[in-house]
Amino acid sequence: ELSGNDDDIDDDDMNVTTYDHVYAYFKQNHNVTASEWSAAAQLAATVQYQSLFEGYIVHMFEYTTAVVLWKSQSPWPALRGFLYDWYLETTGALRGVRAALGRPVSVVLDRASWRLWIV
């Protein structure tokens, strides 16, 4: 039972229960600089948005015929979750969307079944 002291919470316990897609690109217990974290955040956004849109194009015309991305820009400075930033600079998310939708024919890996789809 915790008594309310910060000493009762071990740092190793906190790392086990928290997960961030950005930190998946680093070794455990690695001291991350701001530039490394920023590059990893861009890579994480690229992979996430590419997977999102590839999932839609694999099932295109089965139950949907269009894709709409509701929030393409953040109303305040943020690090992830949008296609371009406060200063209109593109982010890794836009690169992921372009990678998924920018080709007339794509080879898509279904990560659930490890099958390849040609769409």
Side-chain angles (χ1 to χ4, degrees):
E1 186 174 336
L2 296 175
S3 64
N5 288 336
D6 290 337
D7 297 336
D8 292 338
I9 300 173
D10 189 20
D11 287 337
D12 293 331
D13 293 338
M14 292 298 287
N15 290 334
V16 170
T17 58
T18 59
Y19 179 77
D20 188 340
H21 293 283
V22 175
Y23 287 110
Y25 294 99
F26 296 108
K27 294 179 184 176
Q28 191 171 4
N29 299 326
H30 174 69
N31 292 330
V32 180
T33 65
S35 61
E36 289 175 331
W37 195 92
S38 177
Q42 295 291 322
L43 181 60
T46 300
V47 171
Q48 289 169 350
Y49 276 82
Q50 183 175 358
S51 298
L52 173 72
F53 281 91
E54 283 177 347
Y56 282 116
I57 64 172
V58 164
H59 298 291
M60 188 180 294
F61 304 116
E62 287 180 24
Y63 51 85
T64 184
T65 59
V67 175
V68 175
L69 180 64
W70 177 255
K71 185 182 121 180
S72 64
Q73 191 265 336
S74 179
W76 54 80
L79 294 173
R80 293 189 334 191
F82 45 88
L83 301 182
Y84 53 94
D85 68 7
W86 182 261
Y87 303 104
L88 302 179
E89 295 290 329
T90 60
T91 65
L94 184 62
R95 287 188 288 279
V97 172
R98 284 182 179 161
L101 302 177
R103 297 180 295 263
V105 176
S106 296
V107 177
V108 178
L109 173 64
D110 182 359
R111 291 183 173 123
S113 66
W114 294 103
R115 294 187 326 183
L116 291 176
W117 294 80
I118 299 175
V119 291

